[in-house]
Amino acid sequence: MSETEIPQSDRLGDYPHPREVAGFQGQAEAERALFDAFMSGRMQHAWLLTGPKGIGKATLAYRMARFVLHYGTPEKARAAGASDLSVPIDSTAFNQIAAGSHPNLITVRRPWDEKTKKLKTVITVDEVRRIAHFFELTTTERGAWRVVVIDSADEMNTNAANALLKALEEPPPNGLFLVLSHQPGRLLPTIRSRCRTLRMTPLGTEDIAAMIADAEREAEARAGESRKKTTATPDSERLQLAHLSEGSVGRALSICGKRGARALPGTRIAAGAAAAAGHCRAPCLCRQGGQARRGRYL
């Protein structure tokens, strides 16, 4: 199996990975906290991004990584008129991160087990030890950040957690740790104490409904290229789906396609859930939108 064929534990279904997505909404306060810290010139070396799954933690982490790797210093960002964490989509940083090839970014996640042909159930100590090697190899020239994204810290085993703690205790120059956690209370207190916690909250219903509509528009554009037929979710169903999602757009977009998921009775969303179980041929755009940029919502 080639590198590109290996499943990634932080990618959901066929949707694009969070690192591939430019858009971001619904978490303006969290984005502002990261932006202000960087622009102040007193950037903390480690951040703990917390909150339920599917609310944008990974998307924000890669958005921040792009920003610091593109601009490097507050002065350059200020000169460019930056007002948030967005960067030009034609920039080197954006495209290298989207491709997973930026030399100054490493992602720590559950690895592929070649023996079992499955993803491992935990993040192992060997994965965390890659961080030290990464810092040894990457440049330390002035303004060159090195970024570590851990998705998610909840999946580390005990040895991995201890290895991360050591890395946090000895941060290199211009090293930035973006640690994601759905259940921060389960992490080592010493890990939490060495990070600035950024609490992200469940998304609002209107935000989720708008994100679903946006994802459907992107899915429709892609489907048009292949001449596939799609049907947009009615506004009323989007709102019901948003209410069902409990503040997680990731959950909202997966309801149609997840086998055995609960769905809205008597609606096309219910038909989509049936289709996922192999009982219905009705088109469900949330499911067909596997190529939509769902990464923005994770």
Side-chain angles (χ1 to χ4, degrees):
M1 179 178 290
S2 69
E3 184 69 22
T4 57
E5 294 173 321
I6 294 176
Q8 300 174 67
S9 61
D10 52 352
R11 180 190 290 273
L12 297 179
D14 295 327
Y15 292 87
H17 193 279
R19 66 172 180 260
E20 300 169 350
V21 179
F24 189 68
Q25 69 182 93
Q27 299 288 358
E29 187 174 339
E31 179 174 17
R32 176 54 57 176
L34 287 168
F35 178 81
D36 288 347
F38 180 84
M39 297 302 287
S40 72
R42 299 184 298 275
M43 184 72 179
Q44 291 83 356
H45 80 281
W47 292 74
L48 180 61
L49 280 58
T50 70
K53 291 182 179 181
I55 63 171
K57 296 189 298 298
T59 306
L60 180 58
Y62 287 105
R63 187 172 175 84
M64 182 61 182
R66 287 196 298 260
F67 185 79
V68 300
L69 293 172
H70 177 70
Y71 289 114
T73 66
E75 292 76 20
K76 290 181 179 178
R78 199 170 290 116
S83 59
D84 57 25
L85 296 179
S86 62
V87 303
I89 61 174
D90 60 351
S91 65
T92 299
F94 186 97
N95 286 288
Q96 285 187 332
I97 289 177
S101 61
H102 199 292
N104 280 29
L105 171 66
I106 184 174
T107 301
V108 177
R109 55 193 170 211
R110 288 188 291 126
W112 178 255
D113 190 326
E114 193 59 42
K115 291 182 179 179
T116 64
K117 305 300 180 183
K118 294 180 181 179
L119 289 167
K120 292 187 177 181
T121 58
V122 296
I123 294 175
T124 62
V125 67
D126 288 339
E127 290 301 302
V128 177
R129 284 174 177 163
R130 292 171 52 226
I131 296 173
H133 187 58
F134 165 70
F135 284 133
E136 289 173 0
L137 292 179
T138 50
T139 179
T140 58
E141 66 184 49
R142 188 174 184 272
W145 287 85
R146 284 83 60 74
V147 184
V148 178
V149 174
I150 299 179
D151 190 6
S152 72
D154 309 307
E155 297 173 317
M156 294 185 300
N157 63 21
T158 301
N159 290 337
N162 288 328
L164 174 61
L165 177 59
K166 182 178 180 181
L168 293 172
E169 289 174 336
E170 303 171 356
N174 280 7
L176 176 61
F177 290 81
L178 299 170
V179 184
L180 281 56
S181 176
H182 316 306
Q183 298 176 300
R186 300 180 64 180
L187 300 180
L188 291 175
T190 43
I191 287 180
R192 298 199 304 270
S193 68
R194 282 162 175 76
C195 301
R196 175 173 169 179
T197 298
L198 186 59
R199 294 180 177 86
M200 298 174 65
T201 58
L203 297 162
T205 300
E206 295 295 331
D207 279 329
I208 293 176
M211 291 176 188
I212 295 171
D214 183 54
E216 289 189 336
R217 283 193 295 271
E218 295 183 33
E220 185 176 9
R222 295 192 180 206
E225 295 175 1
S226 59
R227 298 183 180 180
K228 291 182 180 179
K229 183 178 180 181
T230 60
T231 304
T233 303
D235 291 344
S236 60
E237 289 187 17
R238 278 201 296 267
L239 286 171
Q240 290 179 41
L241 186 54
H243 281 295
L244 276 180
S245 70
E246 299 179 338
S248 168
V249 70
R251 182 180 294 120
L253 289 175
S254 68
I255 284 178
C256 288
K258 235 179 189 180
R259 190 179 187 87
R262 293 181 181 179
L264 303 176
T267 67
R268 192 175 54 77
I269 296 174
H279 302 309
C280 177
R281 295 184 180 179
C284 175
L285 190 55
C286 287
R287 189 170 178 232
Q288 287 193 4
Q291 298 301 316
R293 299 193 173 207
R294 185 185 184 216
R296 73 193 326 166
Y297 313 123
L298 305 180

